[in-house]
């Protein structure tokens, strides 16, 4: 089995914590890179896990710069952010990440979890006006929830995600092999038999 790669961007440590959990789940069959040190050539990897934190509803600037260089790869995204992982904001950000990928990529899966918000950003947001959707008193509960993440449950979920992607890939490969065998059998059956004298 070919190695997997984990490429991540992290400032406060949230995304790194999830990247480390995923690497542990892969039991050494993985190369891990910070996005600023990541290779441009990824063809030796079976799957590339791309992790980032959200800024303005999209991957952070470093990851945004890297994504177009990723091409012809099987990809999983993982992201950390200060909001509910099932929110429209979080889900739309996966689409924004996918849109930035280079040509020929296949997205195998996505994983997201809450993460602590950068303290300097929180200070700035506390003074935001009532029209700012990311700040002000209406966001206090969301910030409080985010402050305890990624927690142990998120770490476990990240490992389970990796195992689920491994199973998904195995099932897909098994299905494609069976389909190819069926097509080969149909082609062989359609050929006229050679005449014997």
């Amino acid at each position: 089995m070919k190695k997997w790669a984990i490429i991540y961007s992290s400032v406060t440590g949230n995304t790194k914590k999830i990247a480390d959990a995923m690497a542990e789940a892969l039991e050494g069959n993985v190369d891990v890179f910070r996005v600023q040190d990541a290779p441009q050539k990824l063809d030796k990897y079976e799957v590339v896990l791309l992790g980032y934190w959200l800024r303005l509803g999209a991957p952070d600037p470093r990851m945004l710069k890297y994504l177009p260089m990723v091409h012809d790869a099987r990809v999983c995204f993982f992201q950390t952010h200060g909001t509910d992982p099932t929110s429209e904001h979080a889900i739309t950000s996966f689409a924004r990440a996918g849109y930035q990928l280079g040509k020929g990529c296949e997205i195998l899966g996505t994983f997201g979890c809450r993460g602590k918000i950068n303290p300097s950003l929180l200070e700035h947001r506390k003074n935001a006006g009532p029209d700012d959707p990311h700040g002000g008193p209406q966001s206090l509960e969301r910030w409080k929830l985010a402050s305890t993440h990624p927690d142990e449950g998120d770490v476990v979920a990240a490992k389970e995600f990796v195992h689920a992607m491994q199973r998904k890939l195995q099932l897909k490969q098994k299905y494609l092999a069976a389909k190819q065998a069926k097509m080969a059998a149909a082609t062989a059956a359609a050929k006229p038999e050679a005449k014997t004298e």
Side-chain angles (χ1 to χ4, degrees), residues 4 47 74-77 106-110 161 165-166 168-169 172:
W4 288 30
V47 175
R74 187 177 287 121
V75 167
C76 291
F77 290 128
E106 171 194 351
I107 299 172
L108 188 64
T110 60
F161 170 77
M165 292 302 100
Q166 288 174 315
K168 184 176 183 178
L169 191 56
K172 183 174 183 177

Side-chain angles (χ1 to χ4, degrees), residues 27 113 183:
E27 300 176 348
C113 72
M183 287 174 59

Side-chain angles (χ1 to χ4, degrees), residues 26-171:
L26 287 162
E27 300 176 348
N29 194 34
V30 62
D31 290 331
V32 182
F33 306 95
R34 295 180 315 154
V35 69
Q36 56 266 45
D37 304 321
Q40 290 188 22
K41 195 170 180 182
L42 299 167
D43 56 343
K44 72 177 186 176
Y45 297 108
E46 187 169 29
V47 175
V48 180
L49 294 146
L50 297 165
Y52 50 86
W53 49 278
L54 294 187
R55 183 173 182 271
L56 303 174
D60 67 84
R62 280 189 174 150
M63 186 57 75
L64 271 180
K65 187 176 176 183
Y66 182 73
L67 289 174
M69 295 184 246
V70 179
H71 56 85
D72 301 310
R74 187 177 287 121
V75 167
C76 291
F77 290 128
F78 64 100
Q79 62 186 23
T80 59
H81 43 75
T83 191
D84 182 342
T86 62
S87 69
E88 187 274 338
H89 179 78
I91 294 189
T92 303
S93 62
F94 285 126
R96 290 187 177 120
Y99 183 75
Q100 295 299 321
L101 281 173
K103 292 183 179 179
C105 288
E106 171 194 351
I107 299 172
L108 188 64
T110 60
F111 174 84
C113 72
R114 291 184 194 270
K116 291 179 280 298
I117 300 170
N118 190 323
S120 62
L121 184 59
L122 277 182
E123 256 330 290
H124 173 73
R125 287 185 173 171
K126 282 179 186 174
N127 301 319
D131 296 333
D132 185 339
H134 299 296
Q138 73 276 13
S139 297
L140 291 175
E141 184 60 28
R142 182 170 52 82
W143 298 344
K144 185 178 176 184
L145 282 168
S147 70
T148 60
H149 291 269
D151 62 13
E152 191 53 37
D154 298 320
V155 167
V156 169
K159 291 177 181 181
E160 288 173 353
F161 170 77
V162 168
H163 294 143
M165 292 302 100
Q166 288 174 315
R167 285 189 300 275
K168 184 176 183 178
L169 191 56
Q170 288 168 353
L171 288 171

